[in-house]
Amino acid sequence: MKNFSYAILGVWLIAVLAGHVMHLDPNAIDLNVVLHGPSALHWLGADDLGRDLLARILSGVQVSFMVAMVVTAVTMVVGVFVGLLAGFYGGRVDQILMQITDIFLAFPGILLAIAFAAVLGPGLDNLIFALCLTGWVSYARLTRGQTMSLRNRQHVLAAQSLGATVPRLLLLHILPLIASLLVVEATYSLASVMIAEASLSFLGLGIQAPHASWGAMLRDAVRYMLVAPHYVLIVGACMMSLILAINLCGDYLRDSLDVRTEKQI
Amino acid sequence: MKWPFLFYILCLINLAACDRQVLPDNDVQNAAIKFAIAQSPLNLDPRYATDASSERICRLIYQSLVDFDASMRPIPQLATWNAVSAQAYQFNLILSRNVFHHHEPLTADDVKATYDSLVGLKDSPHASEFANIHHIAVQNQDTLTFYLKQPDAHFAEKLIIGILPKRLIEAGHDFSRQPVGNGALAFEHWQNQLRLKRVADGQEVVFHEVKDSTVRVLKLIKGEVDLIQGDLPPELVKYLQSQPDIKVLSTTGSNFSYLGLNVQHPVLSRLKVRQALAHAIDREALIRQVMVPDTRVAGAILPPEHYAGNADLRAYTYNPRMARQLLIEAGIQLPLKLVYKTSTDAQRVRFATILQAQMRPAGIDLQINSLDWGTFFSDIKHGNFELYGLTWVGIKTPEIYEKAFGSEYFTPRGVNRGRYRDATLDAFLLEKDWRSVTLRIHQQLPYIPLWYEGQFVAFNRHIKNYAPKSDGNWDDLATISHDAH
């Protein structure tokens, strides 16, 4: 299963690169092949505008990866920064920052993202912004807890007594110790951001036509489930395989970084 | 061995349960007819009804003074009329039809009460249509006269509001949820599903709201509903046509789809640019591949069979090379970037994407901006657009040309949303020379005409006496029946 998930992830990463090399046009419309099934010309069939499904899936996965990477990077930086400050200083700073975090946590993340996307309007920039606004809280909570447990460690106190500044303490003495946890969290975040992007696009709040997005493709495909089942099955299978592979990779990464797992073996 | 065997038996029983619902002949004849609709009616008070479902059901529950024939000329429904003067119309009620569902007679007093109450309603979207009424005088039980503030040759054509009982109006009855009229169908019950009963023979009709088009189709095929009409992608219509137990009927429609232009935009104000846009759309290919059956190319808002229609208007052919040349002649630097606004409706976005692809070879870079309906329509009403796509639904009178293109009818007074100003057209409108009006509009292109969408209905084979109508109304529910054989 481990090798299988790595293989799936590898295939998708190659597909992203291949999409650039193959020069497929995901927006080329051919009304003569609307909703046609897989053929020699269109390996995965054609969509409701006669566009090549393979080209659109490859284009869609690039968008998904890009959105997931940007959102994960931004939310990680923001969340870690908030968590480090709250965990290190404690007291009033911790109270204020965590109350803000709790406000964001009080709403279901996807619902909040839908609300933001609806207010900001559809489009890729606004989609990324909406997902960033809601995605940082899990990093903040995780980092704060870890920082609180690390800030009184001997090496941190030693560095502090030697005159290390707060940024130096945080970046060189605390952050490296929680980096592995953050990397694992980031893999889960990648998958959840992909699902969130697809959900928002499914609702028409994400990427705008004619650009390809898996969520928007799934939304269109559902309408033609009776007449072109290949459309919804292919898009659904692609999405499922990629997200499953990322989640499994996250599991294996967590296991490999967890010292207790090694001891049990 | 025993448990797998039982499991298979249970599976078979479940599969059998998934089969079509089959009723005995007698039950079929007596059963209510179930009509699946995409959107439930919002308000069954004809003074307020604006959504398509409400308007179509109101036509069945109520009757109005005037209706329209096949060529959209006004004909008597409840009353005949004659113009006493340019500012006075006398109506004589047709006695044979005048009984409400609660068995009270319909008289001229009810007509006066209906229109008096309508004019007095500040929150009715229809009230402004009747602001020209000065007063209504009742001569006797069957005769009344409308006196107008200004002469209006089309006044009689506007009297299509269903007549309500005076006594119930005065009692503040809630017609929106418990309508009382004198139409072919009487209100029976409305909780989750709206249930009406035909006055003539007691046949019940139940309206089921099923928003998703795929689910609507599946319910029809499974026999959970008896008929569906419109609101399906063309692929699902073709799918239904291939089903042995389903009959699909279609007819040409009269609802006009078009591209609206902001003619005060520095680029779109040039006629050659508008002509280029008209030549950059392959309507035939669009209609052939992604439209429902019986869709036809449009030339003007009113179809050729309308008495104010013009059958001689020639459609703009798809010629991207000519379009490009026209843009160059207009002094446009290519590519010409234009923003096209549309709603988030999947079929609308589909059209927009095709238009974008078709216009590209002509040197037009169309940016699609799909917005939720509220934002989209607000932008259109406020003139905040370059290009947009919309459909005129249920238009009956040529007065629309004045409202949509007359120089004095910019929004909010009229619906001249593109702010088109043309003295020649205004003169034709004043003369009511509809042939010249339609020709001028076709040449000057304040709208780019697209098509009249076909109308269709799909029903189980045991249904008879129902056919689609050009404006998509559900009038045949007054005659629909089960065929036990």
Side-chain angles (χ1 to χ4, degrees):
Chain A
M1 202 64 184
K2 185 177 175 181
N3 290 336
F4 178 71
S5 61
Y6 286 151
I8 299 266
L9 203 55
V11 166
W12 278 115
L13 287 172
I14 292 167
V16 171
L17 299 173
H20 285 294
V21 178
M22 288 162 75
H23 299 297
L24 295 170
D25 184 356
N27 299 328
I29 289 173
D30 180 358
L31 294 180
N32 295 314
V33 293
V34 167
L35 295 174
H36 279 203
S39 64
L41 195 61
H42 301 284
W43 294 357
L44 297 182
D47 72 358
D48 58 328
L49 291 169
R51 295 174 295 195
D52 185 58
L53 263 188
L54 176 64
R56 291 194 64 77
I57 281 172
L58 293 181
S59 174
V61 75
Q62 287 170 28
V63 173
S64 286
F65 265 126
M66 191 271 281
V67 171
M69 292 290 186
V70 171
V71 171
T72 304
V74 171
T75 52
M76 196 194 231
V77 169
V78 174
V80 168
F81 180 70
V82 170
L84 282 173
L85 288 183
F88 187 80
Y89 285 113
R92 296 278 297 168
V93 175
D94 181 38
Q95 263 186 356
I96 292 168
L97 290 175
M98 283 307 107
Q99 274 177 9
I100 294 170
T101 310
D102 287 343
I103 289 170
F104 277 89
L105 274 174
F107 293 100
I110 187 68
L111 205 63
L112 207 57
I114 288 170
F116 279 124
V119 170
L120 298 168
L124 188 58
D125 300 346
N126 291 342
L127 172 77
I128 291 173
F129 186 63
L131 292 175
C132 287
L133 275 175
T134 57
W136 59 273
V137 283
S138 58
Y139 291 105
R141 273 280 176 198
L142 180 69
T143 310
R144 178 220 180 221
Q146 293 298 316
T147 307
M148 285 177 97
S149 69
L150 290 172
R151 72 177 172 189
N152 291 323
R153 286 260 184 106
Q154 292 297 317
H155 74 284
V156 179
L157 295 174
Q160 203 167 10
S161 58
L162 285 169
T165 59
V166 173
R168 187 179 174 85
L169 284 174
L170 292 175
L171 292 175
L172 296 182
H173 297 281
I174 294 177
L175 191 58
L177 294 180
I178 59 172
S180 59
L181 280 175
L182 292 171
V183 169
V184 173
E185 177 68 17
T187 57
Y188 293 126
S189 169
L190 272 177
S192 61
V193 169
M194 278 183 179
I195 293 173
E197 181 272 316
S199 306
L200 290 177
S201 296
F202 187 89
L203 295 171
L205 297 167
I207 290 140
Q208 291 288 282
H211 304 296
S213 145
W214 284 7
M217 287 169 77
L218 205 57
R219 179 193 61 203
D220 294 340
V222 166
R223 298 179 75 224
Y224 306 106
M225 214 168 4
L226 288 176
V227 285
H230 71 278
Y231 189 5
V232 71
L233 288 175
I234 287 169
V235 179
C238 289
M239 194 181 284
M240 193 195 75
S241 68
L242 179 58
I243 288 165
L244 184 66
I246 291 173
N247 276 331
L248 287 174
C249 287
D251 282 346
Y252 296 131
L253 199 60
R254 187 197 59 203
D255 290 348
S256 64
L257 292 171
D258 189 346
V259 285
R260 285 170 300 179
T261 313
E262 205 173 350
K263 275 178 193 167
Q264 280 165 7
I265 293 165
Chain B
M1 274 305 283
K2 194 176 169 184
W3 287 110
F5 178 73
L6 278 173
F7 174 74
Y8 290 132
I9 294 288
L10 280 171
C11 285
L12 282 173
I13 291 168
N14 276 332
L15 278 174
C18 292
D19 202 357
R20 288 174 55 77
Q21 292 177 353
V22 180
L23 295 169
D25 284 356
N26 283 344
D27 288 356
V28 165
Q29 274 182 314
N30 298 331
I33 289 168
K34 287 162 275 181
F35 189 175
I37 52 178
Q39 171 76 53
S40 274
L42 300 176
N43 191 324
L44 293 180
D45 186 334
R47 297 170 297 175
Y48 289 97
T50 50
D51 61 290
S53 295
S54 301
E55 286 196 345
R56 287 165 182 168
I57 293 172
C58 279
R59 280 179 62 85
L60 296 161
I61 297 175
Y62 304 94
Q63 285 195 308
S64 54
L65 294 180
V66 176
D67 202 2
F68 296 91
D69 67 8
S71 66
M72 296 300 150
R73 288 185 192 281
I75 53 169
Q77 187 173 53
L78 277 176
T80 57
W81 69 91
N82 60 297
V84 180
S85 70
Q87 288 174 248
Y89 285 81
Q90 189 177 68
F91 286 79
N92 295 298
L93 295 181
I94 302 166
L95 289 170
S96 61
R97 299 176 189 175
N98 297 350
V99 180
F100 283 115
H101 296 146
H102 64 314
H103 308 300
E104 287 184 7
L106 189 155
T107 66
D109 285 327
D110 297 306
V111 178
K112 176 177 163 56
T114 300
Y115 281 99
D116 278 346
S117 70
L118 180 56
V119 171
L121 293 173
K122 285 183 181 153
D123 54 347
S124 164
H126 302 298
S128 61
E129 284 281 305
F130 302 98
N132 192 26
I133 296 176
H134 185 272
H135 72 279
I136 303 167
V138 174
Q139 276 84 48
N140 58 51
Q141 205 175 12
D142 299 321
T143 311
L144 73 165
T145 304
F146 287 79
Y147 292 94
L148 308 182
K149 296 171 188 167
Q150 301 287 331
D152 181 357
H154 297 289
F155 178 72
E157 298 166 21
K158 293 175 183 167
L159 300 182
I160 51 170
I161 299 291
I163 303 302
L164 310 171
K166 180 187 175 191
R167 195 175 58 79
L168 294 183
I169 293 172
E170 288 170 351
H173 181 79
D174 180 14
F175 290 97
S176 67
R177 298 290 298 181
Q178 292 178 313
V180 179
N182 71 320
L185 273 70
F187 172 77
E188 206 174 46
H189 188 248
W190 191 4
Q191 204 164 31
N192 298 329
Q193 295 156 356
L194 173 65
R195 188 176 285 264
L196 305 180
K197 190 183 234 179
R198 195 152 60 205
V199 176
D201 59 2
Q203 171 66 57
E204 286 188 319
V205 179
V206 183
F207 295 88
H208 294 251
E209 184 187 54
V210 186
K211 287 190 184 293
D212 187 83
S213 54
T214 305
V215 179
R216 257 194 327 275
V217 167
L218 286 172
K219 277 180 175 282
L220 179 67
I221 292 170
K222 270 202 72 190
E224 287 181 26
V225 298
D226 296 308
L227 79 155
I228 57 180
Q229 184 172 334
D231 285 322
L232 290 183
E235 288 78 10
L236 286 183
V237 180
K238 284 177 197 158
Y239 177 74
L240 282 172
Q241 282 170 330
S242 69
Q243 299 300 306
D245 293 325
I246 304 296
K247 194 170 180 182
V248 178
L249 296 178
S250 65
T251 186
T252 53
S254 58
N255 295 334
F256 171 75
S257 293
Y258 63 97
L259 287 192
L261 308 154
N262 186 345
V263 290
Q264 292 194 341
H265 185 274
V267 171
L268 295 171
S269 61
R270 301 176 210 180
L271 177 60
K272 285 194 173 176
V273 174
R274 301 201 294 270
Q275 287 171 336
L277 285 168
H279 282 294
I281 302 167
D282 189 353
R283 296 165 186 75
E284 297 285 354
L286 263 160
I287 289 170
R288 196 171 52 246
Q289 301 293 352
V290 293
M291 295 298 295
V292 295
D294 278 320
T295 299
R296 55 193 167 145
V297 174
I301 295 180
L302 298 170
E305 63 272 16
H306 192 285
Y307 75 90
N310 189 342
D312 297 332
L313 299 176
R314 292 185 61 189
Y316 286 87
T317 52
Y318 180 54
N319 191 338
R321 187 178 292 180
M322 187 198 283
R324 183 179 273 270
Q325 187 58 38
L326 284 164
L327 289 177
I328 292 166
E329 285 172 20
I332 303 294
Q333 193 175 358
L334 300 182
L336 167 61
K337 288 194 176 187
L338 290 171
V339 176
Y340 176 81
K341 288 192 174 176
T342 186
S343 68
T344 49
D345 176 77
Q347 189 71 353
R348 291 273 172 195
V349 176
R350 194 181 187 193
F351 292 140
T353 314
I354 296 173
L355 290 180
Q356 184 184 49
Q358 289 183 345
M359 287 186 177
R360 201 171 293 128
I364 300 164
D365 180 7
L366 206 62
Q367 308 287 315
I368 299 169
N369 195 351
S370 67
L371 305 160
D372 68 276
W373 175 256
T375 312
F376 167 64
F377 198 54
S378 169
D379 279 0
I380 302 309
K381 282 196 290 189
H382 293 99
N384 181 20
F385 60 85
E386 290 178 2
L387 274 175
Y388 68 91
L390 262 182
T391 300
W392 278 114
V393 178
I395 300 297
K396 300 275 197 291
T397 64
E399 201 184 12
I400 184 66
Y401 290 121
E402 198 170 5
K403 294 270 176 72
F405 306 113
S407 302
E408 291 179 10
Y409 286 92
F410 288 9
T411 47
R413 189 179 173 208
V415 286
N416 188 348
R417 295 163 182 151
R419 291 171 165 72
Y420 179 67
R421 198 185 288 278
D422 180 354
T424 310
L425 180 64
D426 288 341
F428 290 144
L429 286 168
L430 207 62
E431 294 165 15
K432 304 203 184 302
D433 179 357
W434 304 124
R435 200 171 172 77
S436 302
V437 165
T438 48
L439 188 63
R440 179 74 182 170
I441 292 167
H442 195 67
Q443 287 167 345
Q444 293 297 310
L445 291 168
Y447 277 180
I448 293 176
L450 295 176
W451 50 72
Y452 306 107
E453 191 169 351
Q455 297 290 339
F456 64 90
V457 60
F459 47 78
N460 287 318
R461 290 209 175 266
H462 65 80
I463 292 290
K464 61 179 184 179
N465 299 330
Y466 195 94
K469 300 288 184 292
S470 69
D471 63 354
N473 70 49
W474 302 336
D475 288 3
D476 274 4
L477 288 177
T479 55
I480 193 170
S481 60
H482 290 289
D483 183 359
H485 306 291

